[in-house]
Amino acid sequence: MRLALLGDPVSHSRSPAIHNAGLAAVGIEGRYDGRRVDEDGMRSAIDEIRYGGLDGANVTMPHKHLAFELVDRVSQDALRSSAVNTLVKTAGEVWGHNTDVTGLRTLWGEAGFPTGAPVLVLGTGGAAGAAVVARSDVQVFISGRRSEAAGGLLKSTRIDGEVVAWGTGVEGAVVVNATPLGMGGETLPAGVLDKAIGLVDMAYGSSATPAVLHARSLGMPVVDGPEFLLAQAVASFEIWTGVEAPMDAMRLALRHSDG
């Protein structure tokens, strides 16, 4: 089985370690590699899936919207979020799925966040779209550096949410950081977490992000980037292989790939 991670950058990603451990654990011969690609590289990779050079792929920043535009068909979650992070050949066509949505739904209940709590999504890209769709059953606030992009995301996902100014907190909300802030040690805007009751940080680096450390110091429930990465990886693995993902092996590989 030939699998790949498509994006830019990809060198930091722990996805190859997670998926290669998963394949080995279930006895599937194959390889998952990171592949740094631009728009032309994305088009070539999708053709590889269409014609048998690749069996599937994950898509990461900044190409999730582009992948949505290039595939033949999309799942319902991918359609609503206008973003694709998982590619697979189905019935001769390249299908796009969004396991970011699946992973966030799975983790939400496990994290202990209050039922019905509003959500404040930071960011306006593909990951933010997935977060908005995953939590469309509660009150949604979205914040981006460009307010027009935030409004555009609500429109494209058909979510009746509210745009708030970048750096503004929302009382009693669970914050979902769907930006790269934290990957290089950056902090979230001051005050955003002080009004929150929980944090999902999709970003991750070689150690816990400043946002995760701050949220934990405040005593709130936290889902960190590696936890989120594993949850969406499990869903992608099962789409590609059709077998139950070996969670223990994949989690162990995630831990050992740290730094």
Side-chain angles (χ1 to χ4, degrees), residues 192-222:
V192 167
L193 286 177
D194 293 335
K195 292 183 177 182
I197 59 169
L199 170 68
V200 178
D201 196 352
M202 294 182 175
Y204 68 90
S206 58
S207 58
T209 65
V212 166
L213 294 175
H214 183 44
R216 287 175 176 162
S217 74
L218 296 174
M220 67 179 65
V222 173

Side-chain angles (χ1 to χ4, degrees), residues 28-87:
I28 295 177
E29 184 177 350
R31 185 72 188 171
Y32 180 114
D33 295 301
R35 187 186 295 188
R36 183 180 178 184
V37 296
D38 57 12
E39 182 173 335
D40 288 340
M42 277 293 300
R43 294 179 185 276
S44 295
I46 287 177
D47 280 343
E48 285 184 64
I49 296 172
R50 183 174 287 114
Y51 300 116
L54 281 172
D55 294 294
N58 281 137
V59 181
T60 188
M61 67 178 75
H63 299 317
K64 293 180 181 181
H65 287 314
L66 175 61
F68 174 82
E69 296 171 359
L70 294 177
V71 296
D72 300 316
R73 294 179 184 268
V74 293
S75 68
Q76 187 63 34
D77 285 338
L79 178 63
R80 290 197 65 195
S81 59
S82 299
V84 161
N85 81 322
T86 301
L87 304 169

Side-chain angles (χ1 to χ4, degrees), residues 3-250:
L3 303 167
L5 172 67
L6 310 172
D8 185 11
V10 295
S11 60
H12 71 289
S13 179
R14 303 183 197 176
S15 291
I18 295 170
H19 285 292
N20 285 321
L23 292 172
V26 299
I28 295 177
E29 184 177 350
R31 185 72 188 171
Y32 180 114
D33 295 301
R35 187 186 295 188
R36 183 180 178 184
V37 296
D38 57 12
E39 182 173 335
D40 288 340
M42 277 293 300
R43 294 179 185 276
S44 295
I46 287 177
D47 280 343
E48 285 184 64
I49 296 172
R50 183 174 287 114
Y51 300 116
L54 281 172
D55 294 294
N58 281 137
V59 181
T60 188
M61 67 178 75
H63 299 317
K64 293 180 181 181
H65 287 314
L66 175 61
F68 174 82
E69 296 171 359
L70 294 177
V71 296
D72 300 316
R73 294 179 184 268
V74 293
S75 68
Q76 187 63 34
D77 285 338
L79 178 63
R80 290 197 65 195
S81 59
S82 299
V84 161
N85 81 322
T86 301
L87 304 169
V88 68
K89 187 176 181 179
T90 303
E93 297 180 313
V94 180
W95 277 67
H97 297 262
N98 196 315
T99 65
D100 288 340
V101 177
T102 309
L104 187 55
R105 285 177 180 150
T106 298
L107 290 170
W108 202 268
E110 297 175 356
F113 300 133
T115 302
V119 60
L120 170 61
V121 178
L122 306 180
T124 58
V132 168
V133 170
R135 300 309 301 153
S136 59
D137 58 329
V138 300
Q139 188 175 14
V140 173
F141 298 87
I142 188 164
S143 182
R145 294 184 187 277
R146 295 185 301 113
S147 60
E148 63 271 22
L153 183 61
L154 289 175
K155 183 177 180 179
S156 68
T157 54
R158 299 175 294 282
I159 301 297
D160 185 19
E162 181 178 338
V163 175
V164 297
W166 180 251
T168 302
V170 173
E171 193 72 41
V174 176
V175 173
V176 178
N177 176 31
T179 78
L181 289 175
M183 290 177 61
E186 307 90 348
T187 60
L188 296 183
V192 167
L193 286 177
D194 293 335
K195 292 183 177 182
I197 59 169
L199 170 68
V200 178
D201 196 352
M202 294 182 175
Y204 68 90
S206 58
S207 58
T209 65
V212 166
L213 294 175
H214 183 44
R216 287 175 176 162
S217 74
L218 296 174
M220 67 179 65
V222 173
V223 171
D224 64 17
E227 290 177 274
F228 177 76
L229 178 68
L230 180 61
Q232 64 80 26
V234 163
S236 294
F237 186 92
E238 293 178 352
I239 287 171
W240 294 323
T241 66
V243 300
E244 184 177 353
M247 284 282 294
D248 291 343
M250 295 171 79

